[in-house]
Amino acid sequence: AEAAGPLMRQYEGAARGRGVAAAGWRVCLAHRFEETRQPYGAGDVPLRDVLRHVGLGLRYFRWWFKKTRIEKKSAFIDLLCAVPLQQIYGCPLGGIGGGTITRGWQGEFCRWQLNPGIYHYKTVIADQFTVCLRCKGQTVYQQVLSVERPSTLQGWNWGYCGHYAFYHALYPRAWMVYELPGQNVVLTCRQVSPVIPHDYKDSSLPVAVFIWEVENGRDEDVEVSIMFTLQNGTGTKKDRSGGHWNEPFALEKQGERVAGVLLHHRTCVNPFTLAISAREKAGTEVTHLTTFNPAGSGREVWQDLLRDGRLDSPAGKSVPTEKGEVTAAAVCATCKVPAHGHRTLELALAWDMPCVHFGSKEKLHLRRYTRFFGSGGDAAPALSHHALTHYEEWERKIEAWQKPILENRQLPSWYKSALFNELYFMTDGGTIWMELPPDCCAEELQGPAGAGLSHLLPVLREYGRFAYLEGQEYRMYNTYDVHFYASFALVMLWPKLQISLQYDIAVTVVNEDAQPRQYLMCGQTAQVKLKNVVPHDIGDPDDEPWQRVNAYLMHDTADWKDLNLKFVLQVYRDYHLTQDRLYLQDMWPVCQAVMESELKFDTDNDGLIENGGFADQTYDAWVVNGPSAYCGGLWLAAVCMMCKMAELLGDAEIQQKYTDILKKGKESFEKILWNGKYYNYDSSGSNTSSSIMSDQCAGQWFLGACGLDQEEFEVFPKSHVVSALKTIFEKNVMSFAGGTMGAVNGMRPDGVPDTSSVQSNEVWIGVVYALAATMIQEGLVEEGFRTAEGCYRTVWERLGMAFQTPEAYREKKVYRSLAYMRPLSIWSMQLALERRASWAPAPIQPPQVPIHP
């Protein structure tokens, strides 16, 4: 990084030479390149463990075979074909809900999610940046900025030496620094995506900008060209389906001119256009090549650039490809850099897939950005122009958001990296952000029982519908028991999307789906969805989300104990942070309905619900029997919030009802589960009922985040909470892997991990971040940071899982479910820090700009 010279020093905080090591995450290409060939993790938890329940293995295999081999669909959770770990990923490109393209830390374009929620993992070798240097009218250096040596495009100069490059990432930006060997020229590519808190327009755009800063250390002027090449497609078989074509474009608006090439990908379902472009300005020339064969030698492209540092710029469209053919295009930006000076070249990538079908192909959906750029499939030029002329504004907003945290010397470096880089999942979680159809009416959205949601239609019309996957391998949208943890990132940064999501959940609560389904875990048939019960998820992108919910079919989640409670907890938490009283009023009847439904689980009327002797909550392979620390704690927290909401809304009858329940429940909880040091896992009296669960204070976590942990609202005695957290730190953290891997889910009192289930001896990264937030709330700040640091170091450093944080890992480097939603809970740590620093969370307001252009 030192070799980058004075140019890198301009980027204070997140981007300054050595400073990036503290504020972000970086890696030397040469040192890590070979590791990508030798991934650490052993894949998912062994199938024999996951399927050891009686009969489940056979039932799952039969279902898997029918789904994948007969129906030709992918499994919503594929236990037989887990995605292998590749240690190659960097910051994904694009805003929220328009699809993503991940660019690896070696500069490759390598993970694609343009069709909603559907991923494929293919490095498209033609997608590259190439530099050409010319002095005194002669080309002196031309190099593909890639360490690869592929079997195609062998007419290009590959094999850039990784020792001369560094990668830095602080989402949503990344930097690649190249010192060109022997040339005394340094290139810094700054990658920017429009992911901006409280912005509901530009944050939806499917674009990314690459700003190339060129520093010339020579004693003479040098002409520098950056060529951006891109294949028409995403590296799948559809690239060879025929009918794809390219055309050059130029767009001038308000004195700003952008030029490039459009790559039209004409598939029968979800066609799209890619656009590569550059900004023309004084001293910068933009040229292009409309088409070339990326499967050939590429010699014609190379020689064209080598000749004069420019491309020939032919006019007119290319001929559509024949079946079996592939095509690509190139754009080149050129400028002269004076001796010992520097200049900037700006290039962009945009993609326009405005109208999408999910896997069922039943309904056509419009993406959020079509509100601003139209749905005709011709928006790529305007998107490119907007990106290249607005990225500086985006960066100012991103820096204003990140700077107070980056400059806070009391916060450790790894935390700053984790806080921002874990946000990658907000865009790269299969995320969709859809517009409501203009003719959509309230009755169509609400169903027969949802008329009480008076602000449902205005909210969804103004802010659209938002959903993201449980994980890139666990393909279910808005998995609610997991979103409970991740929702802190959404409500703190895009609160209107959290409120929109909650309205969608509320609609499903008040309606039912009487269709039967057989569940794999028990082999029994039950309704897909019951009335007044929160769904597990809102559907599979390979089916029809929102239309058919509960894609999860391992268990019948109608009897899960945590889903209803997590709805109530989020409603009050959202209100506390936004002060949106209309939202609270709409959600109040729904909260009453789900709590009334939950009351049936208090079978002995002691004010405390009982678990059912099976895995009936988010730990869906860890059996719970009777009153439990996790569900019992969530229950009491939800009852407390019902009392508070009733007080706010003047509902004295409901307030008294839940006040009475809370009084009984608190006494029962302490009597049954408190053992003098911590709360027992459950009350079953089994060999593992006294296990120390790292997540036993989840209810207190939410209460503390909402300021309901003091005086008359104290549900759990402070001394007990602190004692439990200290015990967890001593046993689950420090007695596990030498205190270097976070907190194991379950620990026996003698300091040995609980191995009673496949999940009890896992570390769940999102749970650990939530635990750390709880510790910070209770004054155990050092312990909280130490606990969370173990996860960051394990995932981002030791296991090389950057930008694919899994759900879980074990001590012996076995991991499960790459790229998972729950770790977004790290934003609850930030909320806890702000509250502890007396930064009273002011009501979150949308930006003071008009929603419509």
Side-chain angles (χ1 to χ4, degrees):
E2 192 64 28
L7 179 65
M8 284 300 293
R9 295 189 191 95
Q10 294 179 15
Y11 306 119
E12 294 187 357
R16 184 184 61 223
R18 288 186 299 267
V20 174
W25 172 79
R26 71 177 184 179
V27 64
C28 173
L29 301 190
H31 292 168
R32 289 298 295 275
F33 178 58
E34 288 305 317
E35 291 184 11
T36 66
R37 308 303 184 216
Q38 301 170 5
Y40 283 105
D44 270 353
V45 172
L47 187 63
R48 65 179 180 275
D49 289 346
V50 177
L51 303 183
R52 66 182 180 179
H53 304 274
V54 177
L56 175 60
L58 182 59
R59 287 195 297 272
Y60 179 84
F61 181 76
R62 286 173 174 168
W63 173 83
W64 179 89
F65 187 86
K66 178 183 177 185
K67 189 79 173 175
T68 61
R69 298 299 184 263
I70 298 175
E71 298 178 12
K72 303 297 183 184
K73 295 257 188 177
S74 54
F76 78 101
I77 296 178
D78 196 332
L79 298 174
L80 301 178
C81 302
V83 174
L85 171 64
Q86 298 185 79
Q87 299 166 313
I88 64 174
Y89 298 119
C91 267
L93 306 171
I96 300 173
T100 46
I101 302 169
T102 297
R103 190 170 181 232
W105 50 262
Q106 297 174 88
E108 68 272 60
F109 294 75
C110 53
R111 183 169 66 195
W112 305 79
Q113 188 259 143
L114 297 189
N115 286 307
I118 306 299
Y119 283 82
H120 72 91
Y121 304 85
K122 176 75 173 178
T123 296
V124 183
I125 202 64
D127 298 352
Q128 299 290 345
F129 288 100
T130 296
V131 62
C132 175
L133 303 182
R134 291 172 58 81
C135 291
K136 299 176 181 177
Q138 298 292 322
T139 298
V140 296
Y141 181 85
Q142 188 162 301
Q143 174 71 51
V144 183
L145 296 172
S146 170
V147 296
E148 296 282 358
R149 296 182 182 274
S151 58
T152 57
L153 297 173
Q154 291 195 348
W156 295 9
N157 185 25
W158 295 91
Y160 180 84
C161 180
H163 282 285
Y164 294 95
F166 287 88
Y167 180 84
H168 315 256
L170 195 67
Y171 190 76
R173 298 192 293 171
W175 297 258
M176 296 196 75
V177 183
Y178 304 88
E179 181 186 1
L180 304 183
Q183 303 304 312
N184 205 5
V185 172
V186 176
L187 306 177
T188 302
C189 177
R190 190 167 81 255
Q191 170 187 308
V192 182
S193 293
V195 180
I196 305 161
H198 311 296
D199 182 299
Y200 298 91
K201 178 187 175 183
D202 284 5
S203 288
S204 72
L205 304 183
V207 296
V209 180
F210 306 95
I211 305 99
W212 288 84
E213 300 279 2
V214 185
E215 184 178 5
N216 178 17
R218 291 169 173 254
D219 295 328
E220 59 184 346
D221 296 353
V222 62
E223 189 177 80
V224 179
S225 298
I226 300 293
M227 179 175 71
F228 187 8
T229 52
L230 194 75
Q231 184 166 311
N232 188 327
T234 61
T236 67
K237 292 180 181 179
K238 291 180 181 179
D239 291 5
R240 297 178 179 271
S241 61
H244 312 311
W245 51 283
N246 308 334
E247 64 172 328
F249 79 92
L251 178 60
E252 185 166 353
K253 185 178 178 182
Q254 297 177 339
E256 295 277 4
R257 180 178 169 85
V258 167
V261 180
L262 304 175
L263 297 86
H264 301 287
H265 198 76
R266 302 292 93 180
T267 54
C268 57
V269 178
N270 300 347
F272 62 92
T273 298
L274 296 162
I276 50 176
S277 60
R279 188 179 189 177
E280 287 188 352
K281 56 187 180 183
T284 299
E285 183 180 357
V286 178
T287 55
H288 71 269
L289 186 63
T290 309
T291 184
F292 71 90
N293 178 15
S297 71
R299 192 170 302 278
E300 73 280 13
V301 187
W302 194 260
Q303 292 300 322
D304 188 0
L305 183 65
L306 190 68
R307 199 160 33 245
D308 59 2
R310 291 160 178 79
L311 299 174
D312 280 347
S313 299
K317 304 175 182 179
S318 71
V319 176
T321 57
E322 298 291 335
K323 190 171 183 178
E325 290 182 343
V326 285
T327 184
V331 167
C332 179
T334 304
C335 70
K336 181 174 287 188
V337 185
H340 301 287
H342 78 272
R343 292 289 183 270
T344 302
L345 297 169
E346 301 147 300
L347 294 97
L349 171 63
W351 53 98
D352 183 24
M353 185 191 281
C355 309
V356 294
H357 286 96
F358 292 107
S360 71
K361 303 180 181 64
E362 292 175 23
K363 290 190 172 186
L364 188 66
H365 302 265
L366 300 184
R367 296 195 193 262
R368 166 72 173 183
Y369 75 87
T370 61
R371 167 180 292 220
F372 314 107
F373 287 88
S375 58
D378 56 357
L383 285 167
S384 302
H385 189 282
H386 186 83
L388 285 166
T389 57
H390 286 76
Y391 79 85
E392 292 164 303
E393 176 188 346
W394 299 344
E395 287 200 286
R396 284 193 296 270
K397 292 178 179 178
I398 291 168
E399 287 168 0
W401 160 45
Q402 295 183 340
K403 187 176 180 180
I405 294 169
L406 298 178
E407 292 187 347
N408 186 340
R409 296 183 179 181
Q410 295 180 329
L411 299 176
S413 305
W414 66 263
Y415 170 76
K416 299 171 185 178
S417 173
L419 185 69
F420 294 113
N421 283 331
E422 291 288 9
L423 269 179
Y424 83 94
F425 198 82
M426 194 57 68
T427 60
D428 203 20
T431 313
I432 52 174
W433 189 358
M434 301 302 188
E435 288 285 279
L436 282 189
D439 58 348
C440 185
C441 62
E443 291 74 20
E444 183 180 347
L445 282 175
Q446 293 170 169
L453 299 169
S454 60
H455 291 87
L456 167 70
L457 190 58
V459 166
L460 295 187
R461 273 187 175 159
E462 190 61 37
Y463 295 101
R465 282 181 140 169
F466 172 86
Y468 58 157
L469 297 177
E470 178 177 339
Q472 291 179 8
E473 293 190 77
Y474 287 12
R475 207 184 58 242
M476 296 158 283
Y477 273 129
N478 292 351
T479 299
Y480 201 72
D481 56 305
V482 183
H483 172 70
F484 172 72
Y485 295 83
S487 62
F488 279 88
L490 202 60
V491 76
M492 290 174 70
L493 302 174
W494 294 276
K496 295 298 184 182
L497 295 185
Q498 166 67 7
I499 285 174
S500 168
L501 185 156
Q502 287 283 88
Y503 269 104
D504 270 328
I505 294 295
V507 168
T508 65
V509 167
V510 298
N511 291 293
E512 64 181 329
D513 185 345
Q515 299 177 52
R517 172 193 287 159
Q518 187 173 62
Y519 291 91
L520 294 175
M521 192 66 76
C522 60
Q524 296 176 346
T525 300
Q527 284 181 227
V528 173
K529 166 70 179 61
L530 295 180
K531 187 176 181 180
N532 296 336
V533 174
V534 171
H536 174 273
D537 59 82
I538 59 137
D540 181 346
D542 208 23
D543 186 21
E544 193 63 51
W546 292 300
Q547 192 76 12
R548 283 185 289 279
V549 302
N550 280 346
Y552 179 84
L553 48 73
M554 292 296 185
H555 298 270
D556 178 4
T557 59
D559 282 332
W560 275 23
K561 309 304 183 291
D562 59 340
L563 292 169
N564 290 352
L565 306 175
K566 288 172 175 177
F567 180 81
V568 174
L569 293 171
Q570 287 184 69
V571 165
Y572 183 74
R573 189 273 319 272
D574 299 344
Y575 167 74
H576 174 70
L577 292 178
T578 65
Q579 295 296 298
D580 188 337
R581 194 171 179 86
L582 295 176
Y583 164 74
L584 183 65
Q585 290 170 344
D586 263 3
M587 295 297 139
W588 179 233
V590 186
C591 288
Q592 293 180 66
V594 298
M595 288 297 282
E596 194 65 33
S597 175
E598 192 80 7
L599 274 170
K600 67 178 179 286
F601 299 125
D602 180 7
T603 57
D604 56 5
N605 197 33
D606 67 347
L608 196 61
I609 62 170
E610 287 84 42
N611 288 90
F614 61 98
D616 54 359
Q617 27 68 47
T618 194
Y619 297 88
D620 56 354
W622 194 359
V623 173
V624 200
N625 206 332
S628 67
Y630 183 70
C631 290
L634 293 175
W635 162 255
L636 292 179
V639 171
C640 175
M641 289 188 182
M642 289 294 289
C643 296
K644 181 63 176 177
M645 288 188 283
E647 177 189 310
L648 289 167
L649 296 170
D651 194 332
E653 182 181 348
I654 296 296
Q655 183 180 359
Q656 187 60 54
K657 174 181 177 177
Y658 283 99
T659 298
D660 294 342
I661 293 172
L662 184 59
K663 182 179 179 181
K664 286 194 301 182
K666 283 163 51 174
E667 293 175 359
S668 299
F669 190 77
E670 297 298 324
K671 179 181 178 181
I672 296 170
L673 295 167
W674 180 250
N675 65 18
K677 292 188 68 177
Y678 60 91
Y679 294 102
N680 286 333
Y681 176 67
D682 67 16
S683 58
S684 64
S686 68
N687 292 335
T688 57
S689 67
S690 60
S691 286
I692 307 162
M693 186 187 197
S694 65
D695 210 5
Q696 65 183 268
C697 295
Q700 176 69 12
W701 170 46
F702 251 71
L703 290 171
C706 300
L708 293 179
D709 57 347
Q710 306 288 336
E711 299 172 354
E712 74 270 24
F713 291 108
E714 182 179 277
V715 174
F716 309 98
K718 282 287 182 182
S719 60
H720 290 187
V721 171
V722 172
S723 175
L725 293 173
K726 286 182 175 179
T727 303
I728 293 167
F729 183 72
E730 176 191 349
K731 298 293 187 179
N732 300 56
V733 179
M734 299 308 295
S735 297
F736 176 75
T740 63
M741 296 183 74
V744 69
N745 281 341
M747 181 67 82
R748 299 296 300 137
D750 60 1
V752 176
D754 182 338
T755 58
S756 62
S757 82
V758 298
Q759 293 173 341
S760 56
N761 68 337
E762 289 182 327
V763 175
W764 287 10
I765 296 93
V767 167
V768 173
Y769 289 150
L771 169 63
T774 313
M775 290 175 171
I776 291 169
Q777 287 172 184
E778 302 303 326
L780 304 175
V781 178
E782 184 178 344
E783 292 88 341
F785 278 118
R786 176 70 182 270
T787 297
E789 182 178 2
C791 283
Y792 174 82
R793 301 289 186 194
T794 299
V795 171
W796 289 80
E797 295 179 355
R798 289 192 288 273
L799 298 184
M801 293 178 168
F803 297 100
Q804 52 186 325
T805 303
E807 156 73 321
Y809 56 74
R810 292 184 178 180
E811 186 174 2
K812 301 302 181 183
K813 295 179 179 177
V814 176
Y815 63 88
R816 180 167 61 81
S817 186
L818 290 171
Y820 199 77
M821 176 199 290
R822 204 180 322 247
L824 286 169
S825 63
I826 193 171
W827 278 86
S828 68
M829 288 181 66
Q830 184 61 24
L831 184 63
L833 289 166
E834 292 177 5
R835 182 171 180 240
R836 183 166 179 78
S838 298
W839 298 350
I844 300 172
Q845 301 294 338
Q848 299 302 309
V849 294
I851 291 295
H852 298 282

